[in-house]
Structure formats: structure tokens, C-alpha cells
Amino acid sequence: MKRIEQSLRTLFLICATIMLTVGLVGCTDGMKHPEEYSTDGSNKVAATSNPQTISKEDLGHTWPLKVDKGTVSCKLSKHGDPILRFTTSDGAQYALNQVQDNEHLKSIETLKSDKSKSVGTLMSFAFSVCDIPK
């Protein structure tokens, strides 16, 4: 009986280790720095200023918005959280992330050209803008 319990514990530990390893690999597989995210295969956009203008031309087929360009900005909240915003050419601001300082803004999701498109590449770019001092 003791041998069976020991075998079951060993089997459990092996299974748990395998599941943890697969889970971690799945979470980190393909993680890249924001500038390494592919756009349309021919160009990559890099943050050079804060705020910075970005356009449909910059992101190619991954551009998710109804407008063709805008400005991405990042500043830190009093708690140190990034406040990410997208401003259209007519001055309308949209929240790129859900932080307290963006509660009064419409979500960037409302500006998407197609609900199935992801704002992931734009968000990654916005986080890279945070690395540029204002």
C-alpha cells in the first residue's frame, strides 16, 4: 500500500511539473519586445518620442482603427501606472488602457474599424512610447 501511495505521489509530481512547464512555455512563447511585433511584414515601427504620431501606413494590415492616424501618449499616474491614450487628428482622446485616469474617456475599442480586429499591436507600440522620456 505504501508503495502505491509513493508511486501515485511521484506520478502526480511528474504530471504537475509537465503541466507547469507547458503552461509557462505557452505563456512566453512568442513574447517579443513591442518594436519586434510584425506590422505588414515590410516595416516595423519604433517609438522615438512621447507623444508620437502613428498611422495606418506604419502598422499596415494590423491597423485596427477607423481613422488613418493619431497620436499615442504615455504618462505615469501618481501610482506609477502607465496612462495610455490615443488622440485623433480632431482632438478626440481614447483610452488605450483601463486605469483610473482614463475612466472619463471612451475606450479605443469604440474606434475600431472591425470588431474582430485586435488593438494588440497598437497597445504594444503605446507601451514602447512609455520608454521614451517626455
Side-chain angles (χ1 to χ4, degrees):
M1 183 71 157
K2 202 166 196 149
R3 207 171 231 203
I4 292 174
E5 286 178 13
Q6 193 173 23
S7 294
L8 286 174
R9 266 193 217 121
T10 303
L11 182 61
F12 174 76
L13 287 173
I14 290 171
C15 289
T17 302
I18 290 171
M19 290 178 69
L20 182 62
T21 302
V22 169
L24 287 174
V25 168
C27 289
T28 60
D29 184 36
M31 284 182 73
K32 299 178 179 180
H33 193 275
E35 282 90 358
E36 295 174 6
Y37 276 83
S38 63
T39 54
D40 65 0
S42 62
N43 59 349
K44 294 185 176 159
V45 63
T48 57
S49 65
N50 182 9
Q52 183 170 335
T53 300
I54 189 162
S55 69
K56 183 175 185 175
E57 185 177 304
D58 294 327
L59 293 185
H61 75 275
T62 64
W63 184 256
L65 306 177
K66 295 174 188 174
V67 296
D68 289 339
K69 69 179 180 177
T71 303
V72 171
S73 64
C74 173
K75 67 178 184 176
L76 297 180
S77 72
K78 62 184 176 185
H79 303 292
D81 298 321
I83 303 165
L84 305 174
R85 293 184 178 163
F86 181 86
T87 306
T88 61
S89 56
D90 66 359
Q93 284 194 331
Y94 294 84
L96 283 169
N97 62 341
Q98 296 177 351
V99 292
Q100 187 173 8
D101 293 286
N102 278 342
E103 286 179 342
H104 65 285
L105 298 177
K106 287 184 182 179
S107 168
I108 194 68
E109 296 289 324
T110 63
L111 193 59
K112 284 175 34 176
S113 61
D114 178 350
K115 296 300 177 198
S116 67
K117 282 214 172 220
S118 169
V119 295
T121 304
L122 183 61
M123 289 285 298
S124 294
F125 174 75
F127 278 109
S128 70
V129 167
C130 290
D131 294 337
I132 308 298
K134 272 192 148 185

